[in-house]
Amino acid sequence: MDAAKHQDEHKKNQSLSSMVYETLKQRIINGELLPGSVMMERTLAEDFKISRTPVREALKLLLQEGWIIWEERRKAVVSEIKESDVIELFKLRDMIEHFAIKSIIESGEPQVLAGSLVPITNEMEKLKGSPTEFMKKDMEFHSAIVDKLGITKLAPLWSKIYDDMRRLDVQSIYPKRDADLIIAEHRRLINAFWNGDVNEALECISEHCTQILKVYQLKHTAKKED
């Protein structure tokens, strides 16, 4: 009986820990918790109205994934977005998206993907006034391209890229890039899929990612000068 009770308690803590983890991660991604924000275990437990054990487990997972760092006195702090990490992120995106686009077009059915990308882009038109939702749709657009490959072992890596890019987009990219320009770049890529033009499609994605990285680097440089 004690063993069963212990197991039930363990499952409950796991469920609560997952809830806290997802909630805090989304707050970091959406910019509600900015880099340098402090998260105290006791305060979080009080806010969520739960014990400190699941909060502690959630913070451990956030630490493992790089969303937070531990400072002195075991204080959890939201991590900074390092320039080296951003450059690595874009290198990974470049490799993955180039491979995906080339493979999809060469498969002979890029129009199927183009058809699925149109409604996502149309939704972006409606969300131009909401940075968080707009950039979420932006990454859904790119995820649809990668998902079309059907490579399941790629999913965990792309999931992390997806989360990191949303955080970067909301905090550094969206305020500096015109939403209509982003949409126009997406529509250009869709047209390349409709036409089965691999060279045009690869040029589109290269220019798209290059412009995003330039905006980040310009903002990062200006921040350091301040």
Side-chain angles (χ1 to χ4, degrees):
M1 191 73 172
D2 288 341
K5 185 177 180 181
H6 177 75
Q7 189 175 27
D8 288 343
E9 187 68 22
H10 179 67
K11 286 181 179 179
K12 180 182 177 182
N13 281 334
Q14 280 188 319
S15 177
L16 289 172
S17 177
S18 295
M19 179 272 292
V20 174
Y21 161 79
E22 286 295 339
T23 301
L24 294 178
K25 186 177 79 167
Q26 288 307 312
R27 287 177 183 174
I28 293 171
I29 290 172
N30 295 338
E32 296 172 51
L33 290 170
L34 295 171
S37 298
V38 177
M39 292 187 288
M40 303 298 292
E41 189 179 297
R42 178 179 293 176
T43 304
L44 289 170
E46 291 173 355
D47 290 343
F48 284 101
K49 295 180 173 56
I50 57 177
S51 70
R52 294 171 66 171
T53 299
V55 172
R56 190 178 304 120
E57 292 304 312
L59 291 176
K60 285 180 182 178
L61 187 52
L62 291 169
L63 175 66
Q64 290 172 11
E65 295 185 354
W67 297 107
I68 64 172
I69 58 173
W70 287 115
E71 290 193 348
E72 58 183 14
R73 297 183 181 178
R74 303 292 290 171
K75 184 170 63 176
V77 178
V78 177
S79 61
E80 297 282 344
I81 304 174
K82 296 179 182 177
E83 186 173 10
S84 59
D85 291 335
V86 172
I87 292 171
E88 185 177 289
L89 184 63
F90 275 93
K91 284 181 179 178
L92 285 171
R93 275 195 65 175
D94 185 61
M95 288 188 291
I96 293 170
E97 293 197 71
H98 267 69
F99 175 73
I101 288 169
K102 192 170 186 295
S103 298
I104 291 164
I105 292 179
E106 290 179 350
S107 73
E109 295 184 342
Q111 293 79 14
V112 175
L113 175 61
S116 68
L117 295 176
V118 170
I120 298 175
T121 307
N122 290 342
E123 282 297 311
M124 291 177 70
E125 290 274 9
K126 301 174 185 177
L127 296 169
K128 288 187 289 188
S130 175
T132 300
E133 293 303 314
F134 181 89
M135 298 316 299
K136 183 178 179 180
K137 281 293 174 185
D138 175 78
M139 285 309 299
E140 282 183 22
F141 179 97
H142 293 280
S143 293
I145 296 171
V146 175
D147 290 346
K148 185 66 176 173
L149 280 174
I151 301 177
T152 55
K153 290 187 182 298
L154 186 59
L157 174 59
W158 184 257
S159 178
K160 185 66 171 73
I161 291 172
Y162 175 96
D163 288 339
D164 286 342
M165 281 303 309
R166 280 187 57 208
R167 182 188 185 198
L168 181 66
D169 286 340
V170 170
Q171 294 185 25
S172 301
I173 307 302
Y174 183 89
K176 297 294 183 180
R177 289 207 82 206
D178 184 74
D180 288 323
L181 180 59
I182 296 172
I183 291 169
E185 290 170 352
H186 283 195
R187 294 202 185 280
R188 181 187 168 196
L189 182 55
I190 290 172
N191 287 333
F193 280 126
W194 281 124
N195 297 324
D197 190 334
V198 66
N199 292 327
E200 169 71 359
L202 292 177
E203 184 178 316
C204 286
I205 199 64
S206 290
E207 290 182 7
H208 184 66
C209 289
T210 297
Q211 290 303 315
I212 296 171
L213 182 57
K214 279 183 179 177
V215 167
Y216 168 78
Q217 289 175 323
L218 283 171
K219 181 168 182 176
H220 191 73
T221 301
K223 186 177 179 181
K224 286 194 290 186
E225 288 175 353
D226 289 342

